[in-house]
Amino acid sequence: MANTTIQVTKQTRDHLAELAEERGLSIGQVVDALAAAQLTAAQRAEEVAAARTHAREVIGVDVSDEEFAALDVLGSLRRIAEEKVLAMPGRNAA
């Protein structure tokens, strides 16, 4: 992917700078962490399919696709993981 300049508002930049300072990170590291926590639609679909298969085959629970989608378990886990990653003091983006 080409390196492009992205324009953000001063308010957004200041907010990111404050988040970064609080966590001992650079703005780039905060943006990297936020981007890493967001899955593409294809990645979400793969996770949902794997979780459904696991529930059906390993746990023995027959959950319909509609029931599983309504639970949003994966979304909850992603939000929790994102909060924990961003709260880590001195987290390195490596």
Side-chain angles (χ1 to χ4, degrees):
M1 182 178 276
N3 187 8
T4 59
T5 301
I6 299 171
Q7 299 294 318
V8 297
T9 65
K10 181 180 181 330
Q11 179 182 1
T12 298
R13 186 181 64 243
D14 291 348
H15 184 75
L16 287 170
E18 185 174 348
L19 290 173
E21 183 178 343
E22 288 175 355
R23 290 161 177 81
L25 303 172
S26 69
I27 291 176
Q29 289 172 314
V30 169
V31 172
D32 286 346
L34 290 170
Q38 303 301 310
L39 299 178
T40 65
Q43 290 169 322
R44 283 190 305 276
E46 287 175 18
E47 282 193 3
V48 168
R52 276 196 314 259
T53 298
H54 182 77
R56 289 177 180 146
E57 295 176 0
V58 177
I59 301 172
V61 175
D62 189 15
V63 179
S64 73
D65 293 349
E66 294 78 20
E67 291 169 326
F68 194 87
L71 295 174
D72 194 25
V73 173
L74 296 174
S76 297
L77 290 174
R78 279 193 298 276
R79 283 189 299 277
I80 292 166
E82 178 181 353
E83 290 170 7
K84 290 188 178 290
V85 166
L86 290 175
M88 293 172 61
R91 181 191 168 277
N92 292 325

